[in-house]
Amino acid sequence: MENFRKVRSEEAPAGGGTEEGGPGSGPFADLAPGAVHMRVKEGSKIRNLMAFATASMAQPATRAIVFSGCGRATTKTVTCAEILKRRLAGLHQVTRLRYRSVREVWQSLPPGPKPGQTPGEPAASLSVLKNVPSLAILLSKDALDPRQLGYQPPSPHPGPSSPPTAPTSKRSLGESTAEEGNAKRSQHEPGAADENRTA
């Protein structure tokens, strides 16, 4: 493919799947109309996505949010959902995985005039059909049906906003407490005591 360049990418028509349909279709057909839909792209900044998602979910009227991404953006989609679940406790989750057909159109690069090719002749093009993974994650403040595929209940672990249960006393290497320092200073080395006696 080194002699070709990608001209465009377009979503191929669906092959009659039940989830790919009308204008409001998607993996969650029965979603409330006030739900926020976040389309995560490969170049999206997580801090920008999370700022908008957190502000949207802070409003009492917003009861659900959907993060969706495809191809190389699927890992970023999962990251956004996990961050929001840690920031807002008690969110129910449903995850849907499917594949989208994407048609890529490639055009050959002109290496120079070939014998027998006229200068105005169009370059050869190549069409490639790819199936890329697409992920959609629904996070809802309201309880969802636990029998549906991909359901995860709210996490029982407290979020980072709650105070820790008990402070831990961990020290880094090389750091000593005051008592250990005083004990080390009060101990005399055997060679140092001999020098004091001879002087």
Side-chain angles (χ1 to χ4, degrees), residues 81-100:
E82 291 298 322
I83 291 172
L84 191 63
K85 281 172 37 179
R86 289 183 192 270
R87 287 186 183 175
L88 301 173
L91 292 178
H92 297 264
Q93 176 180 339
V94 176
T95 305
R96 299 278 166 86
L97 176 66
R98 58 185 180 167
Y99 286 89
R100 292 175 48 194

Side-chain angles (χ1 to χ4, degrees), residues 75-119:
T75 55
K76 198 172 280 193
T77 305
V78 172
T79 301
C80 289
E82 291 298 322
I83 291 172
L84 191 63
K85 281 172 37 179
R86 289 183 192 270
R87 287 186 183 175
L88 301 173
L91 292 178
H92 297 264
Q93 176 180 339
V94 176
T95 305
R96 299 278 166 86
L97 176 66
R98 58 185 180 167
Y99 286 89
R100 292 175 48 194
S101 295
V102 175
R103 183 178 311 277
E104 293 180 346
V105 179
W106 296 74
Q107 192 173 31
S108 66
L109 297 173
K114 291 183 180 176
Q117 182 181 11
T118 60

Side-chain angles (χ1 to χ4, degrees), residues 44 86 138:
S44 299
R86 289 183 192 270
L138 167 66

Side-chain angles (χ1 to χ4, degrees), residues 4 6 33 41 74 79 116 132 148-149 171 179 197-198:
F4 287 84
K6 189 173 8 176
K41 307 253 181 182
T74 54
T79 301
V132 295
Q148 61 183 322
L149 290 175
R171 296 178 295 155
E179 294 84 23
R197 284 188 211 145
T198 58

Side-chain angles (χ1 to χ4, degrees), residues 148-174:
Q148 61 183 322
L149 290 175
Y151 174 77
Q152 291 182 22
S155 176
H157 304 296
S161 59
S162 63
T165 55
T168 59
S169 61
K170 293 185 179 178
R171 296 178 295 155
S172 64
L173 293 174

